[in-house]
């Protein structure tokens, strides 16, 4: 630039001339974009794309992993980047990088933060990266130089790496005093992406908050709040291999990261991130919303009543909620969604119990968060109402659970004996049925000076995991309490105990905004069942089967998994009886329940189904019907269903087939399903007499007994229409007899992806499919793997003449083959990629073999010229592998038929390879196996083979002696 680039600062916010955070962020981006030619990229969403190992994007480099790993498609836009700058939204909660429990306790931990970063992909390196960083900090942001300290990698003898003197010298040339340039070991100044992959030394810039001319070098990297790291510059110059050794990368990269929150703290001259204008508007809004004391920045014992901690928790967590919901991560039951639910519930508890804020405070903060972050991340401004609605719905549900849980804990504590642990079964009920995070249970108990019986709790968790996994012990337990024996059934009938009315399981409606509303259900306990005997009463802590006069729980049948949830006694809201499984037996619905208190016949109860699990089952069951129709449509009307199983996670479908389903057929099946989803067809359901149902043309029904009347489920066509005489409407859509629970419209399915297809036995295939977000994730992961395969394919076509390079490509193909086989991606795509990878593996193996033969011929020719017409040839020769060495021996013996040959090849690792072949003229006196064993024993190694050829290895220290032994052995036999 002709005109010097300048810091454009105005004291609009954050008084005293301090730059507002928005200007700090913008200055960073403009500096690299305008002055140093970087391409400015928007932040990636915090939902990782195609990386199932990550819950959230937790660093600026996540989106650039394909470049660092070399898997980026050479024709993609990503591959064109050389210099890049951006401000990345990051979430660290759950998984390896988990700051959730620390948030609020101090003034610098966050679940959501912004990472300012600049990258070089094979362009500039240490000199330019350090120079730019120093220029920005000292000349643009005008941070006093004497307050900055830089660290560099001090070397590691175990890796054979010396100190990064190149980096040290760069800083010294920039004018940083030697007393401020500090070496640190591997754990502080060597960055690695994972156990394998790109890595390298890093240099960190630290800031001394105190200053005043002191030397704070002794406080760097010592955990002092006075001296903090603000910027990390990583120099990717090595790759850590599977064996643990480091190899230089063919292209050097720079990856830098500077937390915006910490930088703004420095520039606004505060000691706490929460005192910057990234947080003060939110803290002010919290104060306005709850009306309590103002935020004072207190921590630890000084923070009486943890009011300041609550301010920090709510302010941090509402930022995370806004960003995650905007990027498509909603509070839910697994993975990132479960973590977000924990974040929301943690914020709700501190808001309601510590700040005594009214319901709705969290959602009321959303506009303030959007005001603070919306300019940098405009996507936030488009979803304000949706974010608020989702937060309000989840808060209302949790506040209800929180109040009930608090009463349960209070009541249980009052009934406990002094000096005893809190009962595990009560904690498990809170955790499993009310969705109480364990840390909240521990905190509530900690406040009362009580601890949880952790051993018993872990045992319950283990039993639950076994039950969910379908373990044999769990199965026996379920059967014992939910499978009525013949005598018990007869006793029930003889005493005129009516069959369970389970029609309330169908009592749900679709709200105006697409949400499902499940009607409440009250019932009376008619009988209890335990240890294969009917009982009138079951004591606390015991597991039993409960028979009710009516229920809204779905019992496992028709291939659909049963509901879970809990029941409470009417008038006793604080006692939860978890319902762990539900079975149908002889018309009676048996709920397997753990009795937290004594349960008796005649008790009146209210039932609560786990709505999220039920909705997931409904989605997958409707998807199963749609899949059945699509398979018949694509494969022909002879395709008959042979079985299915529907759970909240996935669906399984077995059907007749003449052979494996082709890639094209799988794609067609998915397309048929997606077309119906897009049309958002109404799902019609009605009970009709069985005789009438049997007249429906094209009716799909599994060969099993149906109650009369039967329930018909028809997609897109009213049941009255399909029942009309001579109607062929059922031939054009999915119409089935089914007792399961279903969506009311197909659009809520969102997507369907078949992630597995295989033949169980000849003539029967099984497909496994997922819907909604899981289907979307499978497609994203599939696209990423396809790009990796394409990248390997292009590199394979370049036909390297280097054996190690071809071997690395072959290894990469092998690893990709395993990943493609085991990862949840669309099955049609898996088949395509497997076919490509199989061909690539053949190509690589052929190329390696050809190169080895060429190399062996050259080496054999040289050795032949050196040992012309000798009966015994003993020598050393460089060879990359035992395979090549053996080929050299074979070639020599072919070209000199009367010669016996033994070759040694020293390796970089200190190992010596050995290969030999004995002329047939010398048999049986002279044995190749004996020869190799004698030679390798001299090198403290081992060998084996036949009388004609043998191979082995040993230690380089004994190689000279081994050569002598080889000659002496041969001479003794000839």
């Amino acid at each position: 630039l002709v005109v010097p680039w300048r810091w454009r600062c105005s004291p609009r916010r954050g008084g005293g001339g301090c730059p507002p955070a928005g200007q700090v962020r913008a200055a960073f981006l403009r500096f690299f974009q305008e002055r140093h030619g970087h391409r400015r990229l928007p932040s990636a969403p915090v939902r990782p794309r195609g990386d199932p190992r990550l819950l959230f994007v937790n660093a600026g480099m996540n989106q650039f992993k394909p470049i660092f790993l070399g898997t980026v498609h050479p024709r993609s836009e990503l591959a064109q980047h050389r210099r890049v700058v951006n401000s990345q939204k990051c979430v660290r909660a759950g998984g390896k990088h988990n700051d959730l429990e620390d948030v609020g306790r101090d003034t610098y931990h966050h679940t959501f933060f912004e990472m300012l970063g600049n990258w070089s992909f094979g362009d500039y390196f240490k000199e330019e990266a350090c120079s730019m960083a120093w220029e920005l900090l000292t000349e643009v942001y005008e941070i006093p130089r004497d307050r900055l300290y830089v660290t560099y990698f001090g070397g590691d003898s175990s890796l054979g790496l010396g100190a990064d003197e190149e980096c040290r010298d760069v800083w010294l040339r920039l004018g940083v005093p030697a007393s401020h340039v500090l070496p640190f070991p591997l754990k502080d100044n060597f960055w690695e992406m994972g156990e394998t992959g790109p890595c390298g030394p890093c240099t960190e810039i630290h800031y001394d908050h105190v200053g005043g001319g002191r030397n704070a070098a002794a406080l760097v990297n010592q955990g002092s709040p006075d001296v903090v790291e603000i910027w990390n510059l990583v120099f990717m110059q090595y790759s850590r291999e599977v064996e643990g050794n480091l190899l230089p990368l063919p292209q050097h990269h720079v990856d830098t990261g500077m937390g915006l929150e910490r930088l703004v703290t420095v520039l606004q001259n505060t000691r706490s991130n929460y005192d910057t204008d990234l947080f003060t508007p939110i803290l002010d809004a919290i104060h306005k919303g709850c009306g309590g004391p103002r935020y004072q920045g207190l921590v630890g014992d000084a923070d009486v009543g943890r009011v300041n901690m609550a301010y920090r928790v709510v302010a941090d967590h509402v930022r995370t909620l806004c960003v995650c919901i905007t990027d498509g991560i909603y509070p839910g039951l697994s993975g990132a969604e479960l973590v977000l639910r924990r974040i929301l519930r943690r914020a709700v508890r501190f808001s309601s119990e510590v700040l005594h804020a009214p319901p709705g405070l969290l959602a009321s903060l959303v506009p303030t968060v959007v005001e603070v972050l919306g300019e940098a991340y405009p996507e936030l401004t488009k979803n304000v109402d949706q974010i608020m609605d989702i937060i309000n719905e989840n808060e209302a549900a949790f506040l209800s659970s929180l109040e009930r849980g608090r009463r349960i804990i209070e009541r249980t504590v009052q009934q406990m004996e002094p000096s005893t642990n809190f009962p595990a079964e009560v904690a498990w009920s809170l955790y499993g049925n009310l969705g109480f995070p364990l840390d909240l249970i521990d905190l509530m108990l900690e406040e009362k000076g009580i601890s949880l019986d952790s051993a018993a709790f872990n045992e319950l968790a283990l039993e639950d995991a076994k039950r969910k996994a379908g373990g044999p012990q769990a199965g026996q337990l379920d059967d014992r309490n939910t499978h009525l024996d013949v005598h018990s059934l007869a006793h029930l009938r003889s005493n005129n105990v009516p069959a369970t009315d389970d029609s309330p399981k169908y009592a749900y409606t679709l709200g105006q905004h697409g949400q499902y509303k499940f009607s409440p259900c009250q019932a009376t306990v008619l009988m209890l069942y335990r240890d294969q005997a009917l009982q009138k009463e079951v004591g606390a802590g015991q597991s039993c089967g409960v028979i009710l006069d009516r229920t809204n729980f779905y019992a496992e049948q028709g291939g659909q998994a049963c509901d879970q949830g809990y029941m409470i006694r009417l008038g006793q809201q604080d006692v939860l009886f978890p319902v762990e499984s539900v079975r149908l037996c002889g018309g009676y619905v048996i709920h397997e329940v753990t009795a937290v208190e004594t349960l008796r016949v005649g008790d009146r109860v209210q039932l609560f189904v786990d709505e999220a699990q039920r909705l997931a089952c409904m989605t997958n069951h409707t998807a199963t019907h749609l899949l059945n129709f699509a398979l018949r449509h694509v494969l022909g009307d002879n395709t008959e269903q042979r079985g299915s199983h529907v759970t909240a996670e996935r669906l399984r479908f077995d059907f007749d087939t003449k052979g494996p389903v082709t890639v094209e057929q799988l794609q067609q099946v998915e397309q048929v399903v997606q077309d119906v989803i897009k049309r958002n067809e109404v799902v019609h359901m009605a009970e009709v007499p069985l005789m009438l149902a049997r007249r429906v043309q094209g009716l799909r029904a599994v060969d099993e007994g149906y109650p009369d009347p039967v329930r018909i489920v028809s997609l897109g066509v009213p049941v009255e229409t399909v029942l009309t005489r001579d109607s062929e409407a059922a031939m054009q859509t999915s119409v089935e007899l089914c007792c399961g629970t279903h969506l009311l419209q197909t659009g809520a399915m969102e997507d369907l992806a078949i992630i597995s297809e295989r033949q169980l036995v000849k003539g029967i295939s099984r497909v496994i499919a997922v819907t909604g977000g899981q289907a979307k994730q499978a497609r994203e992961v599939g696209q990423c793997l396809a790009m990796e395969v394409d990248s390997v394919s292009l590199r394979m076509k370049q036909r390297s003449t280097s054996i190690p390079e071809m071997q690395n490509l072959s290894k990469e193909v092998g690893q990709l083959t395993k990943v493609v086989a085991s990862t949840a991606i669309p099955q049609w795509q898996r088949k395509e990629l497997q076919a490509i990878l199989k061909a690539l593996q053949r190509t690589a193996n052929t190329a390696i073999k050809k190169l080895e033969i060429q190399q062996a011929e050259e080496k054999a020719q040289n050795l032949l010229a050196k040992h012309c017409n000798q009966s015994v040839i003993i020598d050393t020769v460089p060879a990359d592998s035992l395979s090549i060495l053996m080929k050299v021996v074979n070639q020599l013996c072919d070209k000199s038929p009367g010669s016996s040959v033994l070759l040694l090849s020293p390796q970089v690792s200190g190992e010596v390879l050995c290969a030999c072949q004995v002329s047939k003229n010398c048999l049986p006196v002279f044995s190749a196996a004996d020869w190799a064993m004698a030679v390798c024993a001299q090198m403290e190694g081992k060998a084996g083979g036949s009388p004609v050829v043998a191979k082995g290895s040993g230690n380089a220290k004994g190689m000279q002696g081994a050569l002598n032994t080889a000659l002496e052995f041969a001479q003794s036999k000839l």
Side-chain angles (χ1 to χ4, degrees), residues 928-970:
D930 294 343
W931 197 13
M933 281 190 280
V935 170
C936 291
Q938 187 69 34
M939 299 186 291
E940 299 178 353
K942 294 180 180 179
S946 69
V948 180
V949 292
K951 55 190 176 183
S953 63
N955 196 302
K957 293 178 183 176
M959 190 172 77
Q960 193 53 51
L963 290 168
N964 296 334
T965 299
L967 182 59
E968 290 167 7
F969 187 93

Side-chain angles (χ1 to χ4, degrees), residues 498-507 519-526 546-557 563-567 579 581-584 587-593 604-609 614 741:
T500 311
D501 172 18
D502 63 352
S503 60
K505 69 188 178 188
Y506 300 125
S519 300
C521 180
Q522 294 182 0
T524 303
V525 177
L526 299 182
V546 179
I547 300 172
L548 305 169
D549 62 338
R550 61 199 306 268
T551 183
N552 59 347
F553 276 72
Y554 184 85
E556 182 163 0
Q557 57 183 319
D563 283 338
Q564 291 180 328
Y566 62 95
M567 59 178 72
V579 177
S581 68
V582 189
R583 294 282 182 90
L584 182 65
Y588 298 102
V589 176
I590 301 99
H591 309 72
E592 187 185 17
V593 164
R604 291 281 292 159
V605 295
Q606 183 157 359
L607 308 176
F608 294 88
V609 169
R614 160 69 82 83
T741 56

Side-chain angles (χ1 to χ4, degrees), residues 316-335:
D316 171 89
H317 288 8
V318 74
R319 285 169 25 115
T320 305
L321 288 163
C322 289
V323 169
C324 287
I325 292 169
T326 295
D327 285 349
I329 303 174
Y330 303 151
L333 295 174
S334 63

Side-chain angles (χ1 to χ4, degrees), residues 19 260 405 413 514 619:
L260 175 67
V413 169
T619 301

Side-chain angles (χ1 to χ4, degrees), residues 492-800:
L492 288 169
R493 288 167 182 155
S494 65
N495 283 277
N496 297 315
V497 176
T500 311
D501 172 18
D502 63 352
S503 60
K505 69 188 178 188
Y506 300 125
Y508 51 87
T509 56
L510 191 57
Q512 186 178 349
H513 301 293
Q515 77 280 13
Y516 280 80
K517 296 180 180 177
F518 296 84
S519 300
C521 180
Q522 294 182 0
T524 303
V525 177
L526 299 182
M527 192 60 71
L528 302 169
Y529 185 72
R530 175 172 169 78
D531 294 331
Q532 295 186 313
L534 296 172
Q535 300 183 13
K536 296 281 180 94
E537 182 178 298
V538 170
Q542 294 184 318
S543 182
C544 66
V546 179
I547 300 172
L548 305 169
D549 62 338
R550 61 199 306 268
T551 183
N552 59 347
F553 276 72
Y554 184 85
E556 182 163 0
Q557 57 183 319
Q560 180 179 328
C562 67
D563 283 338
Q564 291 180 328
Y566 62 95
M567 59 178 72
I568 61 171
R569 277 199 193 93
L570 290 182
Q572 198 175 8
Q573 304 293 310
D574 53 355
V575 180
L576 274 67
F577 296 87
V579 177
E580 293 161 359
S581 68
V582 189
R583 294 282 182 90
L584 182 65
C585 190
Y588 298 102
V589 176
I590 301 99
H591 309 72
E592 187 185 17
V593 164
T594 299
V596 179
E597 286 191 355
T598 301
L599 196 58
R600 298 178 179 87
V601 168
D603 283 347
R604 291 281 292 159
V605 295
Q606 183 157 359
L607 308 176
F608 294 88
V609 169
D610 183 330
E611 294 181 2
Q613 190 217 18
R614 160 69 82 83
L615 184 56
C617 284
M618 286 161 54
T619 301
N620 287 343
H621 203 151
T622 304
T624 305
H625 285 213
L626 196 41
L627 181 63
N628 188 3
F629 168 72
L631 284 165
R632 287 170 68 103
H633 183 78
V634 173
L635 302 180
D637 287 336
N638 293 329
T639 306
E640 292 293 339
Q641 179 177 344
R642 289 298 175 203
S644 67
H645 190 238
V646 175
T647 67
E649 291 74 33
R650 57 179 52 187
L651 62 99
R652 190 191 75 215
F653 191 83
D654 301 340
F655 58 98
D656 287 338
T657 178
K658 294 178 181 177
V661 184
T662 66
V663 167
E664 293 74 23
Q665 287 170 331
L666 286 168
Q667 289 173 317
Q668 289 168 18
V669 168
E670 286 190 358
Q671 190 58 56
V672 170
V673 173
Q674 285 159 11
D675 288 344
V676 178
I677 292 172
K678 285 175 186 172
R679 293 200 299 269
N680 197 20
E681 300 276 20
V682 173
V683 180
H684 300 274
M685 290 168 276
E687 285 193 346
V688 301
L690 184 58
M691 289 300 294
L692 194 59
R694 283 178 175 158
R695 296 210 306 253
V696 176
Q697 293 188 51
L699 180 72
R700 258 89 53 201
V702 182
D703 185 21
E704 65 180 50
Y706 286 92
D708 193 2
V710 292
R711 190 172 177 81
I712 290 183
V713 178
S714 173
L715 302 190
V717 179
V719 174
E720 303 82 44
T721 304
V722 300
L723 289 173
T724 305
R725 189 176 293 276
D726 300 325
S727 170
E728 294 185 358
M731 305 291 285
Q732 311 304 319
T733 187
S734 167
V735 180
E736 294 191 35
L737 299 183
C738 181
C739 59
T741 56
H742 287 270
L743 295 174
L744 300 177
Q745 288 183 261
T746 59
M749 210 179 300
E750 296 180 353
D751 194 6
L752 178 140
I754 297 170
I755 59 170
S756 173
E757 184 275 329
R758 64 186 179 92
Q759 282 200 296
L760 293 178
V761 293
K762 192 170 178 62
I764 297 180
S765 279
R766 168 172 289 176
V767 294
I768 293 173
V770 291
T771 57
Q774 284 181 284
K776 182 182 177 184
Q777 185 178 19
R779 294 192 193 285
E780 288 179 355
V781 173
Q783 286 302 310
C784 290
L785 286 175
M787 288 173 67
E788 289 189 41
V789 171
D790 206 357
S791 173
V792 173
S793 183
L794 286 170
R795 283 179 280 148
M796 193 77 78
K797 287 176 183 175
Q798 294 168 3
R799 291 295 173 95
S800 170

Side-chain angles (χ1 to χ4, degrees), residues 24-59:
V24 174
R25 186 195 298 111
F28 181 93
L29 298 171
R30 285 204 313 273
F31 174 79
F32 285 101
Q33 183 181 11
E34 297 176 12
R35 184 155 189 165
H36 293 289
H38 287 61
R39 182 174 182 184
R40 178 175 171 178
L41 295 182
S43 170
V46 292
R47 179 188 283 279
R49 182 173 175 81
D51 192 344
R53 291 161 292 191
L54 278 181
L55 290 173
F56 304 96
V57 165
N58 57 26

Side-chain angles (χ1 to χ4, degrees), residues 896-963:
S896 181
S899 299
S900 295
V901 179
L902 184 143
L903 298 179
L904 299 181
S905 179
Q907 304 294 297
V908 178
S909 63
E911 185 185 27
V912 176
L913 305 178
C914 171
C916 64
Q917 183 170 330
V918 170
S919 171
K920 291 180 181 178
N921 301 335
C922 302
L923 297 174
V925 178
F926 195 0
S927 163
D930 294 343
W931 197 13
M933 281 190 280
V935 170
C936 291
Q938 187 69 34
M939 299 186 291
E940 299 178 353
K942 294 180 180 179
S946 69
V948 180
V949 292
K951 55 190 176 183
S953 63
N955 196 302
K957 293 178 183 176
M959 190 172 77
Q960 193 53 51
L963 290 168

